[in-house]
Amino acid sequence: MTETEIVDAAAMLRAAGLRVTDTRVAVVETLADMPHSGADTIVASVARRLSTTSRQAVYNVLNDLAAAGLARRIEPAGQPGLYELRVGDNHHHIVCQRCGAVADIDCVTGHAPCLTPSQTSGFDLLEAEVTFWGVCSDCKALTADAVVAVP
Ligand SMILES: [Zn+2]
Ligand SMILES: [Zn+2]
């Protein structure tokens, strides 16, 4: 998925069996623009576009989208839930330990589920959710600047 991909939010909603509403369209388009957004970020973005929406309406839409399989909620430790439209491909996330920036990482070995534990205690393995932690390029650049600034 490229960042400039244009989504047909109404078609996605209809395909998932959801009624097309202004708030749902706005939320889907916001998620397409800003993957891995928290609910508060999404509320703010939708409110800029629709004067007649409410925080609760956006929260309801996020729950509806997640229940319908249109959106996925990820919860890196220590962060509020983040939402994205990229679902069902067993991709993973890398999170910056300093600023919390999140990026996608494709399935580690190219097929899902990519982790094959040596024993599964009788569970059927459906999905692997892996969070990698690191330092993003912005934060790395900041650190480099700081090092230069201190003689
Ligand atoms: Zn960072
Ligand atoms: Zn993702």
Side-chain angles (χ1 to χ4, degrees), residues 36 72 74 84 86 91-93 103-104:
H36 313 125
R72 172 178 171 196
I74 59 165
E84 65 182 343
R86 189 176 161 181
H91 78 276
H92 308 300
H93 295 98
D104 286 335

Side-chain angles (χ1 to χ4, degrees), residues 60-82:
N60 290 345
V61 167
L62 287 170
N63 286 334
D64 292 346
L65 295 180
L70 274 185
R72 172 178 171 196
R73 178 185 158 98
I74 59 165
E75 297 182 53
Q79 296 207 23
L82 306 174

Side-chain angles (χ1 to χ4, degrees), residues 96-101 135-139:
C96 177
Q97 287 183 326
R98 297 195 189 151
C99 71
V135 179
C136 76
S137 51
D138 286 352
C139 287

Side-chain angles (χ1 to χ4, degrees), residues 5 30 37 52 57 59 65-66 73 80 88 90 95 97 106 114 117 130-133 135 138 143-144 148 151:
E5 184 171 336
T30 296
S37 290
T52 56
Y59 275 67
L65 295 180
R73 178 185 158 98
N90 200 66
V95 182
Q97 287 183 326
D106 287 338
C114 68
V130 178
T131 303
F132 299 89
W133 296 87
V135 179
D138 286 352
T143 310
V148 171

